[in-house]
Amino acid sequence: DTGVSQDPRHKITKRGQNVTFRCDPISEHNRLYWYRQTLGQGPEFLTYFQNEAQLEKSRLLSDRFSAERPKGSFSTLEIQRTEQGDSAMYLCASSSWIATMNTEAFFGQGTRLTVV
Amino acid sequence: AQSVAQPEDQVNVAEGNPLTVKCTYSVSGNPYLFWYVQYPNRGLQFLLKYITGDNLVKGSYGFEAEFNKSQTSFHLKKPSALVSDSALYFCAVRVTGGGNKLTFGTGTQLKVEL
């Protein structure tokens, strides 16, 4: 499978615990994005990387959220001190930026987080 | 700020009939427009995009969309619906030179019945 891969697919955690999600993008893609999707809503942008550089962060990304892409390949999204409002589907996507053109983004299957 | 509106929460069509899923957008620059489809408990699958050129864009699974600049619309269409087309459809916009985030609509649930 050469698509975007996310792990785990499902995570149930107790309020106050820390969680970390992983995303492996399509191998030749240099851009990686994180989105959050709640029930009945479209995905909302959280942050994106070009190679290992984090170039944009949404105001939705509170101080409890941190994302990394240390070697410009896979990425992790960590949520500290989880709250019930963090319950959502976390989607990762990747694309290529070539000669000022950005290809369409391809999405992974998401990690569904439930905070109890 | 950029935004997308999908005015219908649900669209019901009979199999074999044409379908249309509506999308309008608001941006301050030139838009890149996209349609994605989401099946239950799955991520989003890319269907088609408009970047520039011909206003009628053809995509996967027989879907097409028409870009209308004057009406700021990008409606998704298919001449003959299949039951397997039943899913959640999202329209999204990205602005050229305005960052790289996609802004999505709230989605339209398409139900195709026999």
Side-chain angles (χ1 to χ4, degrees), chain A residues 20-71:
Chain A
T20 300
F21 310 140
R22 177 181 170 122
C23 171
D24 287 90
I26 293 171
S27 58
E28 61 268 28
H29 284 179
N30 53 8
R31 287 195 165 175
L32 185 148
Y33 310 80
W34 286 98
Y35 288 81
R36 182 172 68 187
Q37 184 179 20
T38 54
L39 198 62
Q41 299 296 319
E44 297 173 294
F45 171 79
L46 293 178
T47 187
Y48 93 93
F49 294 82
Q50 180 158 318
N51 299 315
E52 66 276 9
Q54 188 173 17
L55 297 187
E56 188 174 349
K57 292 195 294 185
S58 163
R59 287 173 296 176
L60 293 175
L61 212 66
S62 75
D63 291 345
R64 297 184 297 105
F65 288 70
S66 62
E68 295 182 340
R69 195 183 182 196
K71 296 182 180 179

Side-chain angles (χ1 to χ4, degrees), chain A residues 4 8 16 23 34 40 50-51 70 74 90 95 100 109:
Chain A
V4 178
C23 171
W34 286 98
Q50 180 158 318
N51 299 315
F74 73 92
Y90 290 84
S95 69
T100 76
Q109 295 192 4

Side-chain angles (χ1 to χ4, degrees), chain A residues 10-28:
Chain A
H10 304 274
K11 178 71 176 179
I12 299 174
T13 190
K14 292 182 178 179
R15 189 176 53 188
Q17 297 295 305
N18 299 344
V19 295
T20 300
F21 310 140
R22 177 181 170 122
C23 171
D24 287 90
I26 293 171
S27 58
E28 61 268 28

